[in-house]
Amino acid sequence: VCPTSAIAVEDTDVWIVDDACVRAGLCFEACPHDAIEVIGDRARVRELLAARATVLVLTGEAAVHFHPHALEQVVNACFHAGFAGVHHGVVGEELVAAEYLRLFTDGRWQTLIRSTCPVLVETVRKQYPDLVRYLAPVVTPLRAEVDYLRGVYGEDVPIVYAGVCLADAMGNVDAALTFHELELLLEEAPQGADSIER
């Protein structure tokens, strides 16, 4: 299932070739032995929270993961756990949408490949280099949001991503968490009115 053939097999040994991996995550879902684990930076997030004001970008899929809890409850729990700011990841979508609208009206672009997904961009770069010239010169929504948040909070503010695509976070934030890891982090916070329980 790997789009870049980043799974190496030799006798009974199987491993992921990091240089070829674009973090598509298909291997995680397809592995019949549950041998692949997606791991974020929970320890790093704890360090950041203990040391300084830290901002969280919480992607929209959180509403599904934490259901039946309302997103407001999750946000409150994140503040209770020590985050100085919690953002829903919508600002980045709006910022790139404006840029795409501008490109669509620019007659120079007759063919345009959206660059909103880092997995797609890496796949094009590694497997279809002839198509690179058609990639939209637009950053991912997360990159746009991180740039915006650094303008609001300051260039040195630590930013943590929590979402389903850790590939999106690579190189954009100071630490990344899966929703499961965020849930564990919230459970570790001292119990109070703003904490959530599963």
Side-chain angles (χ1 to χ4, degrees):
V1 299
C2 180
T4 59
S5 302
I7 309 294
V9 180
E10 186 176 309
D11 297 325
T12 59
D13 294 331
V14 180
W15 67 94
I16 297 172
V17 180
D18 200 52
D19 289 344
C21 180
V22 293
R23 311 297 192 267
L26 299 176
C27 58
F28 174 75
E29 294 294 330
C31 179
H33 307 289
D34 294 326
I36 300 170
E37 187 176 3
V38 178
I39 300 172
D41 307 308
R42 203 161 108 223
R44 173 80 175 125
V45 172
R46 277 196 220 101
E47 291 172 8
L48 291 171
L49 288 172
R52 57 197 309 194
T54 301
V55 174
L56 176 68
V57 175
L58 187 64
T59 64
E61 296 89 358
V64 175
H65 178 85
F66 288 98
H67 182 78
H69 298 289
L71 202 50
E72 290 80 10
Q73 290 175 290
V74 177
V75 170
N76 287 340
C78 292
F79 279 118
H80 183 76
F83 287 100
V86 181
H87 298 268
H88 297 291
V90 177
V91 170
E93 299 286 350
E94 292 172 351
L95 290 169
V96 300
E99 184 60 15
Y100 276 104
L101 287 174
R102 189 188 68 72
L103 287 175
F104 290 148
T105 60
D106 185 337
R108 292 175 292 174
W109 288 93
Q110 294 181 358
T111 302
L112 188 68
I113 300 173
R114 288 179 52 214
S115 58
T116 53
C117 173
V119 173
L120 173 71
V121 170
E122 282 306 301
T123 300
V124 168
R125 286 189 177 141
K126 289 182 177 182
Q127 291 201 315
Y128 307 101
D130 291 346
L131 299 179
V132 168
R133 66 180 181 267
Y134 298 115
L135 282 171
V138 182
V139 298
T140 65
L142 178 63
R143 175 82 257 165
E145 182 144 0
V146 166
D147 290 346
Y148 169 79
L149 292 175
R150 291 201 192 283
V152 170
Y153 290 97
E155 285 297 319
D156 60 343
V157 67
I159 297 179
V160 174
Y161 163 95
V164 295
C165 179
L166 295 189
D168 201 9
M170 292 176 58
N172 289 319
V173 295
D174 298 282
L177 298 170
T178 64
F179 286 135
H180 177 68
E181 290 171 319
L182 176 60
E183 188 176 341
L184 293 174
L185 192 76
L186 298 180
E187 289 172 1
E188 292 169 0
Q191 293 299 308
D194 293 335
S195 60
I196 62 172
E197 296 177 6
R198 296 291 275 171

